[in-house]
Amino acid sequence: MTLPELIQETRTAHWGWHEHRYFGQRVFEDLAGRETLTGLTVLSVLGRRLSSDENGVVNDAACTLTLADPRIWPLKLTRLIAAYGSTLPAAAAGLLSEQDARIGPWTTAKGAELLLAFDAAVGARIDDSELVRGTVKAYLDEHRFVWGFGTPFRGADERLVAFRACIRRRERGSLRFWRLMDAVSAVVRDVRGTEPNMGIAVAAAFLDLGLTPHQVGSLTSALMQHMFLAHAVEGSARGASLRELPATHVDFVGHAPRTSPRAGPSSGECTSQGAVAAPESHEFMENAG
Amino acid sequence: MSTAELDGPLEGSAHFPERLTARVVTPGERPSVHGYDVESDLARHYQPSDLLFLFLNGELPTPSVSRAFAVALIFLAPVSVAHASTHAAVVGRLCGAPASSTIGVAAIGAAEHARSLLDEHIDLIAWLRAPRVAFPERYRARDDGDRAAVQRLEQALTPTGLAVPALGERPSRDAALVIVLFAVGFKRRERLEAVIALARLPSAVAEALAERPTNFGNYPINLPRFTYTESA
């Protein structure tokens, strides 16, 4: 019996006899010796190549995004998994933690969505300061958290300062989304006293390259993998001391000791809730963190 | 240059605690879970499914909830290789990945599978929270097989004594399992996601470990057939 054939279309790649295809490019003829790792990364996310100068913006972003102190939480996560001695699971764990997270590269996708929303409201009237202020103020009135803003532990994001210098050198500071970012930032600064961070800047620069928000998040994530790899490599080679911290370094703040209903009379501070019935006794969970 | 010679925001005025905080398991040689001693109490009087319930909900289940939760876990557990989550774990094994990596792939697949399932049931969860409107039609059983599976679930639940009135809405098998988990106390999205993923992880791991590493010749490489196109 012949099974019905299942088909899925792909634009990514094909394995040929003497030449392979990658997003419409001949791998040996078009890419080898001509394209950079950055260019390949861009091609992987966008499905098309960018110009050399545009790839330069991507390189600038990758370099200025390099803040890899192991105390930074996603990188710490990588070090913790690396403590068991393997490299790639640690790098993969770091990558996994980035999807839709409140910090890290995916914030640029959220920042891009925010800028596109403001762009839809403001359009070409970006120099109309009253319009921009009213639009941003209305957003701030409804949203406590604003993607791409906030610079914990310092007054300004030094990465944005450096990236701005790169953008200026490439004469891209007058492009649509970079200008919009600056206009929006002025209002957020005035209303909230909050500075823009690298997330909104990368979002603006990549929107000016023609990326969608999802592409912005994916590309930024790819551009930051070198930091996770660095900690995965170093941590797997000499990080075993993290495997188990001494108990003296842990405070337990959970439930006091108690005895289960099946073991005998209850004790401890929550004895009356020693067992849970359903469904009426579960209201406590509705209010739980 | 070294840390002693360098300065930065984390060397400045920012204040952080010196210790980690444990909220569920006590650290050290005599572990307890949410206050219950593991070795002298839980291990002697409870089943693994009760421990999972305790871990995620903070309290032990009553006997009725315990039995109903165990039924739901068993109904949730089988995920065949037809599903992407288990399929991915098998492919990992085929690649000759070590068991730890295969288990990791299976865990990611199970978590994504659970997230996707709950994304599809978001309106059902909203209805369960406030069942003041009609049961959403899209979660009703679609065929006789679906209806028969839910009937078997109801039969398995009967001895537990747990009443789950929403099963009377003729839900699909997946919807029925979400309903039962909700009824036994899993009302928060993230905990539903956790319990579904954990229930399904063993079958993905088992299916993967049953495959022989590098058994590429027995793998249907053209399932599906990827057709390459360069058009936009």
Side-chain angles (χ1 to χ4, degrees):
Chain A
M1 189 177 96
T2 304
L3 293 171
E5 190 171 47
L6 302 178
I7 295 173
Q8 187 167 112
E9 199 172 87
T10 178
R11 294 180 59 227
T12 300
H14 180 260
W15 176 5
W17 284 109
H18 306 292
E19 176 64 286
H20 311 312
R21 312 290 291 197
Y22 195 63
F23 288 105
Q25 309 292 316
R26 293 167 296 180
V27 171
F28 304 137
E29 184 70 22
D30 302 330
L31 299 177
R34 302 170 195 271
E35 191 51 278
T36 62
L37 178 57
T38 300
L40 279 179
T41 306
V42 165
L43 179 60
S44 305
V45 174
L46 275 65
R48 62 185 170 85
R49 294 165 83 174
L50 293 178
S51 70
S52 174
D53 191 54
E54 289 171 324
N55 275 337
V57 175
V58 178
N59 272 325
D60 291 342
C63 289
T64 51
L65 276 165
T66 304
L67 172 53
D69 191 299
R71 291 171 291 184
I72 297 171
W73 304 276
L75 299 168
K76 177 72 169 288
L77 176 162
T78 299
R79 297 289 294 217
L80 290 166
I81 301 298
Y84 294 104
S86 294
T87 302
L88 296 186
L95 182 65
L96 186 61
S97 73
E98 295 174 356
Q99 180 75 46
D100 290 325
R102 289 286 284 263
I103 65 167
W106 212 261
T107 61
T108 61
K110 303 291 188 182
E113 288 172 1
L114 181 67
L115 287 174
L116 284 175
F118 286 137
D119 182 65
V122 173
R125 296 167 63 192
I126 192 170
D127 294 320
D128 184 340
S129 58
E130 285 307 307
L131 174 64
V132 173
R133 184 177 177 81
T135 303
V136 176
K137 181 78 166 46
Y139 182 88
L140 295 177
D141 287 344
E142 291 181 8
H143 297 83
R144 193 165 150 263
F145 179 80
V146 186
W147 292 98
F149 288 85
T151 54
F153 314 125
R154 71 271 208 223
D157 189 335
E158 66 289 342
R159 300 170 301 173
L160 172 49
V161 173
F163 188 47
R164 182 182 294 282
C166 297
I167 290 290
R168 194 178 297 126
R169 276 197 295 274
R170 294 186 186 278
E171 300 179 349
R172 298 182 67 89
S174 60
L175 295 183
R176 179 178 180 173
F177 288 100
W178 192 267
R179 287 179 62 216
L180 179 61
M181 175 196 71
D182 278 340
V184 170
S185 297
V187 181
V188 176
R189 184 181 295 116
D190 185 46
V191 175
R192 290 270 180 91
T194 310
E195 291 293 321
N197 62 40
M198 187 62 167
I200 199 81
V202 171
F206 286 2
L207 286 174
D208 280 328
L209 290 174
L211 275 65
T212 65
H214 190 264
Q215 289 172 335
V216 169
S218 301
L219 182 58
T220 311
S221 185
L223 298 180
M224 295 178 74
Q225 289 317 299
H226 61 293
M227 293 179 267
F228 291 91
L229 189 59
H231 286 296
V233 169
E234 184 180 75
S236 59
R238 47 178 176 149
S241 63
L242 285 177
R243 284 185 192 179
E244 183 177 4
L245 300 175
T248 51
H249 288 62
V250 182
D251 283 332
F252 182 74
V253 299
H255 207 291
R258 52 182 168 168
T259 303
S260 76
R262 293 183 194 171
S266 298
S267 62
E269 64 187 35
C270 288
T271 52
S272 64
Q273 294 182 354
V276 176
E280 61 279 5
S281 298
H282 283 279
E283 278 73 22
F284 74 92
M285 282 181 288
E286 293 290 354
N287 298 318
Chain B
M1 299 285 277
S2 65
T3 296
E5 304 165 272
L6 295 167
D7 195 13
L10 297 182
E11 274 77 43
S13 56
H15 176 73
F16 296 96
E18 293 184 342
R19 294 181 177 84
L20 284 171
T21 301
R23 298 178 176 85
V24 176
V25 179
T26 52
E29 294 179 353
R30 189 72 186 267
S32 68
V33 174
H34 287 301
Y36 296 111
D37 188 279
V38 169
E39 296 165 5
S40 65
D41 188 340
L42 296 175
R44 291 171 60 187
H45 303 292
Y46 292 89
Q47 297 300 312
S49 57
D50 297 322
L51 186 61
L52 175 57
F53 189 98
L54 171 65
F55 267 126
L56 293 175
N57 282 337
E59 300 296 340
L60 285 163
T62 61
S64 171
V65 166
S66 167
R67 290 192 294 270
F69 181 54
V71 167
L73 287 179
I74 291 173
F75 266 73
L76 281 164
V79 180
S80 83
V81 74
H83 291 270
S85 52
T86 299
H87 189 168
V90 169
V91 174
R93 176 72 162 180
L94 271 181
C95 292
S100 59
S101 295
T102 301
I103 295 164
V105 171
I108 292 173
E112 283 297 291
H113 196 172
R115 180 191 57 74
S116 169
L117 176 81
L118 291 176
D119 282 349
E120 291 164 7
H121 288 79
I122 195 106
D123 293 334
L124 173 64
I125 295 168
W127 181 84
L128 288 167
R129 289 187 193 287
R132 289 184 288 272
V133 296
F135 184 82
E137 283 298 321
R138 59 188 283 223
Y139 301 118
R140 296 219 195 266
R142 287 174 291 276
D143 51 43
D144 288 344
D146 224 9
R147 279 186 283 275
V150 175
Q151 199 170 21
R152 289 191 290 273
L153 175 63
E154 290 183 294
Q155 288 165 353
L157 287 171
T158 299
T160 73
L162 183 73
V164 188
L167 291 180
E169 298 287 350
R170 294 179 288 111
S172 67
R173 184 183 192 276
D174 283 343
L177 288 168
V178 172
I179 288 168
V180 173
L181 289 177
F182 196 89
V184 300
F186 288 87
K187 299 186 177 183
R188 291 176 57 194
R189 162 74 191 247
E190 61 195 21
R191 293 179 189 198
L192 278 166
E193 211 166 285
V195 76
I196 293 169
L198 290 168
R200 289 175 160 181
L201 179 59
S203 68
V205 172
E207 194 71 59
L209 296 184
E211 179 58 274
R212 182 167 56 81
T214 71
N215 187 21
F216 298 117
N218 194 47
Y219 180 76
I221 199 165
N222 283 315
L223 179 64
R225 180 174 294 282
F226 286 100
T227 59
Y228 175 72
T229 176
E230 295 182 354
S231 59

PDB file of all heavy atoms in Angstrom, chain A residues 244-252, chain B residues 22 25-32 37-39:
ATOM      1  N   GLU A 244      27.113  22.009  43.693  1.00  0.00           N
ATOM      2  CA  GLU A 244      26.275  22.077  44.896  1.00  0.00           C
ATOM      3  C   GLU A 244      26.909  23.056  45.864  1.00  0.00           C
ATOM      4  O   GLU A 244      28.052  22.851  46.302  1.00  0.00           O
ATOM      5  CB  GLU A 244      26.112  20.708  45.560  1.00  0.00           C
ATOM      6  CG  GLU A 244      25.180  20.788  46.762  1.00  0.00           C
ATOM      7  CD  GLU A 244      24.917  19.442  47.422  1.00  0.00           C
ATOM      8  OE1 GLU A 244      25.521  18.444  46.990  1.00  0.00           O
ATOM      9  OE2 GLU A 244      24.119  19.413  48.371  1.00  0.00           O
ATOM     10  N   LEU A 245      26.171  24.096  46.183  1.00  0.00           N
ATOM     11  CA  LEU A 245      26.684  25.087  47.126  1.00  0.00           C
ATOM     12  C   LEU A 245      26.523  24.554  48.543  1.00  0.00           C
ATOM     13  O   LEU A 245      25.606  23.758  48.812  1.00  0.00           O
ATOM     14  CB  LEU A 245      25.910  26.393  46.971  1.00  0.00           C
ATOM     15  CG  LEU A 245      25.978  27.043  45.581  1.00  0.00           C
ATOM     16  CD1 LEU A 245      25.072  28.268  45.521  1.00  0.00           C
ATOM     17  CD2 LEU A 245      27.409  27.430  45.236  1.00  0.00           C
ATOM     18  N   PRO A 246      27.379  24.961  49.455  1.00  0.00           N
ATOM     19  CA  PRO A 246      27.211  24.539  50.847  1.00  0.00           C
ATOM     20  C   PRO A 246      25.845  24.973  51.386  1.00  0.00           C
ATOM     21  O   PRO A 246      25.338  26.045  51.023  1.00  0.00           O
ATOM     22  CB  PRO A 246      28.343  25.281  51.576  1.00  0.00           C
ATOM     23  CG  PRO A 246      29.312  25.660  50.500  1.00  0.00           C
ATOM     24  CD  PRO A 246      28.521  25.858  49.254  1.00  0.00           C
ATOM     25  N   ALA A 247      25.238  24.133  52.203  1.00  0.00           N
ATOM     26  CA  ALA A 247      23.907  24.443  52.748  1.00  0.00           C
ATOM     27  C   ALA A 247      23.901  25.761  53.513  1.00  0.00           C
ATOM     28  O   ALA A 247      22.864  26.415  53.631  1.00  0.00           O
ATOM     29  CB  ALA A 247      23.436  23.300  53.642  1.00  0.00           C
ATOM     30  N   THR A 248      25.059  26.157  54.010  1.00  0.00           N
ATOM     31  CA  THR A 248      25.141  27.418  54.751  1.00  0.00           C
ATOM     32  C   THR A 248      24.879  28.622  53.850  1.00  0.00           C
ATOM     33  O   THR A 248      24.638  29.719  54.340  1.00  0.00           O
ATOM     34  CB  THR A 248      26.534  27.578  55.368  1.00  0.00           C
ATOM     35  OG1 THR A 248      27.520  27.361  54.338  1.00  0.00           O
ATOM     36  CG2 THR A 248      26.756  26.579  56.490  1.00  0.00           C
ATOM     37  N   HIS A 249      24.920  28.413  52.549  1.00  0.00           N
ATOM     38  CA  HIS A 249      24.683  29.504  51.609  1.00  0.00           C
ATOM     39  C   HIS A 249      23.241  29.550  51.123  1.00  0.00           C
ATOM     40  O   HIS A 249      22.932  30.218  50.145  1.00  0.00           O
ATOM     41  CB  HIS A 249      25.630  29.390  50.408  1.00  0.00           C
ATOM     42  CG  HIS A 249      27.042  29.730  50.734  1.00  0.00           C
ATOM     43  ND1 HIS A 249      27.786  29.023  51.645  1.00  0.00           N
ATOM     44  CD2 HIS A 249      27.848  30.719  50.274  1.00  0.00           C
ATOM     45  CE1 HIS A 249      28.993  29.551  51.731  1.00  0.00           C
ATOM     46  NE2 HIS A 249      29.056  30.583  50.921  1.00  0.00           N
ATOM     47  N   VAL A 250      22.370  28.788  51.790  1.00  0.00           N
ATOM     48  CA  VAL A 250      20.965  28.738  51.380  1.00  0.00           C
ATOM     49  C   VAL A 250      20.082  29.009  52.597  1.00  0.00           C
ATOM     50  O   VAL A 250      20.253  28.379  53.649  1.00  0.00           O
ATOM     51  CB  VAL A 250      20.599  27.359  50.777  1.00  0.00           C
ATOM     52  CG1 VAL A 250      19.146  27.353  50.307  1.00  0.00           C
ATOM     53  CG2 VAL A 250      21.535  27.016  49.615  1.00  0.00           C
ATOM     54  N   ASP A 251      19.151  29.941  52.441  1.00  0.00           N
ATOM     55  CA  ASP A 251      18.143  30.191  53.478  1.00  0.00           C
ATOM     56  C   ASP A 251      16.852  29.487  53.076  1.00  0.00           C
ATOM     57  O   ASP A 251      16.356  29.693  51.966  1.00  0.00           O
ATOM     58  CB  ASP A 251      17.851  31.694  53.595  1.00  0.00           C
ATOM     59  CG  ASP A 251      18.945  32.422  54.348  1.00  0.00           C
ATOM     60  OD1 ASP A 251      19.590  31.787  55.202  1.00  0.00           O
ATOM     61  OD2 ASP A 251      19.146  33.613  54.069  1.00  0.00           O
ATOM     62  N   PHE A 252      16.285  28.680  53.977  1.00  0.00           N
ATOM     63  CA  PHE A 252      15.001  28.048  53.686  1.00  0.00           C
ATOM     64  C   PHE A 252      13.893  28.892  54.298  1.00  0.00           C
ATOM     65  O   PHE A 252      13.905  29.178  55.499  1.00  0.00           O
ATOM     66  CB  PHE A 252      14.953  26.614  54.247  1.00  0.00           C
ATOM     67  CG  PHE A 252      13.667  25.917  53.917  1.00  0.00           C
ATOM     68  CD1 PHE A 252      13.423  25.458  52.627  1.00  0.00           C
ATOM     69  CD2 PHE A 252      12.678  25.755  54.873  1.00  0.00           C
ATOM     70  CE1 PHE A 252      12.233  24.830  52.304  1.00  0.00           C
ATOM     71  CE2 PHE A 252      11.477  25.123  54.558  1.00  0.00           C
ATOM     72  CZ  PHE A 252      11.257  24.668  53.273  1.00  0.00           C
TER      73      PHE A 252
ATOM     74  N   ALA B  22      15.611  29.043  49.444  1.00  0.00           N
ATOM     75  CA  ALA B  22      14.904  27.792  49.137  1.00  0.00           C
ATOM     76  C   ALA B  22      13.480  27.919  49.655  1.00  0.00           C
ATOM     77  O   ALA B  22      13.276  28.388  50.782  1.00  0.00           O
ATOM     78  CB  ALA B  22      15.606  26.611  49.795  1.00  0.00           C
ATOM     79  N   VAL B  25      12.218  22.709  48.882  1.00  0.00           N
ATOM     80  CA  VAL B  25      13.030  21.612  49.411  1.00  0.00           C
ATOM     81  C   VAL B  25      14.061  22.191  50.376  1.00  0.00           C
ATOM     82  O   VAL B  25      14.769  23.135  50.030  1.00  0.00           O
ATOM     83  CB  VAL B  25      13.749  20.877  48.265  1.00  0.00           C
ATOM     84  CG1 VAL B  25      14.627  19.749  48.810  1.00  0.00           C
ATOM     85  CG2 VAL B  25      12.742  20.324  47.262  1.00  0.00           C
ATOM     86  N   THR B  26      14.145  21.596  51.568  1.00  0.00           N
ATOM     87  CA  THR B  26      15.168  22.058  52.503  1.00  0.00           C
ATOM     88  C   THR B  26      16.530  21.527  52.051  1.00  0.00           C
ATOM     89  O   THR B  26      16.652  20.357  51.673  1.00  0.00           O
ATOM     90  CB  THR B  26      14.890  21.556  53.930  1.00  0.00           C
ATOM     91  OG1 THR B  26      14.699  20.143  53.866  1.00  0.00           O
ATOM     92  CG2 THR B  26      13.672  22.218  54.519  1.00  0.00           C
ATOM     93  N   PRO B  27      17.545  22.371  52.045  1.00  0.00           N
ATOM     94  CA  PRO B  27      18.879  21.898  51.679  1.00  0.00           C
ATOM     95  C   PRO B  27      19.476  21.069  52.808  1.00  0.00           C
ATOM     96  O   PRO B  27      19.007  21.119  53.933  1.00  0.00           O
ATOM     97  CB  PRO B  27      19.655  23.201  51.477  1.00  0.00           C
ATOM     98  CG  PRO B  27      18.963  24.201  52.335  1.00  0.00           C
ATOM     99  CD  PRO B  27      17.511  23.794  52.399  1.00  0.00           C
ATOM    100  N   GLY B  28      20.481  20.291  52.477  1.00  0.00           N
ATOM    101  CA  GLY B  28      21.166  19.521  53.503  1.00  0.00           C
ATOM    102  C   GLY B  28      20.851  18.040  53.425  1.00  0.00           C
ATOM    103  O   GLY B  28      20.276  17.558  52.448  1.00  0.00           O
ATOM    104  N   GLU B  29      21.213  17.325  54.491  1.00  0.00           N
ATOM    105  CA  GLU B  29      21.165  15.866  54.455  1.00  0.00           C
ATOM    106  C   GLU B  29      19.798  15.276  54.747  1.00  0.00           C
ATOM    107  O   GLU B  29      19.562  14.094  54.514  1.00  0.00           O
ATOM    108  CB  GLU B  29      22.185  15.309  55.457  1.00  0.00           C
ATOM    109  CG  GLU B  29      23.626  15.621  55.061  1.00  0.00           C
ATOM    110  CD  GLU B  29      24.621  15.083  56.061  1.00  0.00           C
ATOM    111  OE1 GLU B  29      24.188  14.594  57.125  1.00  0.00           O
ATOM    112  OE2 GLU B  29      25.830  15.155  55.777  1.00  0.00           O
ATOM    113  N   ARG B  30      18.895  16.031  55.314  1.00  0.00           N
ATOM    114  CA  ARG B  30      17.569  15.496  55.680  1.00  0.00           C
ATOM    115  C   ARG B  30      16.500  16.307  54.946  1.00  0.00           C
ATOM    116  O   ARG B  30      15.867  17.190  55.518  1.00  0.00           O
ATOM    117  CB  ARG B  30      17.395  15.598  57.193  1.00  0.00           C
ATOM    118  CG  ARG B  30      16.166  14.892  57.736  1.00  0.00           C
ATOM    119  CD  ARG B  30      16.344  13.389  57.693  1.00  0.00           C
ATOM    120  NE  ARG B  30      15.127  12.687  58.070  1.00  0.00           N
ATOM    121  CZ  ARG B  30      14.857  12.288  59.318  1.00  0.00           C
ATOM    122  NH1 ARG B  30      15.715  12.504  60.294  1.00  0.00           N
ATOM    123  NH2 ARG B  30      13.724  11.665  59.585  1.00  0.00           N
ATOM    124  N   PRO B  31      16.304  15.998  53.661  1.00  0.00           N
ATOM    125  CA  PRO B  31      15.407  16.849  52.876  1.00  0.00           C
ATOM    126  C   PRO B  31      13.942  16.719  53.281  1.00  0.00           C
ATOM    127  O   PRO B  31      13.472  15.626  53.615  1.00  0.00           O
ATOM    128  CB  PRO B  31      15.618  16.332  51.443  1.00  0.00           C
ATOM    129  CG  PRO B  31      16.062  14.925  51.610  1.00  0.00           C
ATOM    130  CD  PRO B  31      16.855  14.889  52.883  1.00  0.00           C
ATOM    131  N   SER B  32      13.251  17.845  53.235  1.00  0.00           N
ATOM    132  CA  SER B  32      11.799  17.836  53.373  1.00  0.00           C
ATOM    133  C   SER B  32      11.222  18.598  52.197  1.00  0.00           C
ATOM    134  O   SER B  32      11.896  19.433  51.584  1.00  0.00           O
ATOM    135  CB  SER B  32      11.370  18.486  54.698  1.00  0.00           C
ATOM    136  OG  SER B  32      11.661  19.871  54.678  1.00  0.00           O
ATOM    137  N   ASP B  37       8.885  15.510  55.880  1.00  0.00           N
ATOM    138  CA  ASP B  37      10.140  14.776  55.793  1.00  0.00           C
ATOM    139  C   ASP B  37      10.038  13.722  54.684  1.00  0.00           C
ATOM    140  O   ASP B  37       9.100  12.926  54.646  1.00  0.00           O
ATOM    141  CB  ASP B  37      10.436  14.092  57.136  1.00  0.00           C
ATOM    142  CG  ASP B  37      11.831  13.477  57.147  1.00  0.00           C
ATOM    143  OD1 ASP B  37      11.994  12.359  56.597  1.00  0.00           O
ATOM    144  OD2 ASP B  37      12.742  14.131  57.679  1.00  0.00           O
ATOM    145  N   VAL B  38      11.010  13.735  53.807  1.00  0.00           N
ATOM    146  CA  VAL B  38      10.944  12.856  52.636  1.00  0.00           C
ATOM    147  C   VAL B  38      11.165  11.395  53.019  1.00  0.00           C
ATOM    148  O   VAL B  38      10.421  10.503  52.609  1.00  0.00           O
ATOM    149  CB  VAL B  38      11.975  13.296  51.576  1.00  0.00           C
ATOM    150  CG1 VAL B  38      12.118  12.252  50.472  1.00  0.00           C
ATOM    151  CG2 VAL B  38      11.570  14.640  50.985  1.00  0.00           C
ATOM    152  N   GLU B  39      12.194  11.168  53.820  1.00  0.00           N
ATOM    153  CA  GLU B  39      12.620   9.786  54.019  1.00  0.00           C
ATOM    154  C   GLU B  39      11.809   9.028  55.066  1.00  0.00           C
ATOM    155  O   GLU B  39      11.642   7.814  54.955  1.00  0.00           O
ATOM    156  CB  GLU B  39      14.113   9.790  54.361  1.00  0.00           C
ATOM    157  CG  GLU B  39      14.940  10.326  53.182  1.00  0.00           C
ATOM    158  CD  GLU B  39      16.364  10.703  53.563  1.00  0.00           C
ATOM    159  OE1 GLU B  39      16.751  10.471  54.721  1.00  0.00           O
ATOM    160  OE2 GLU B  39      17.073  11.251  52.694  1.00  0.00           O
TER     161      GLU B  39
END
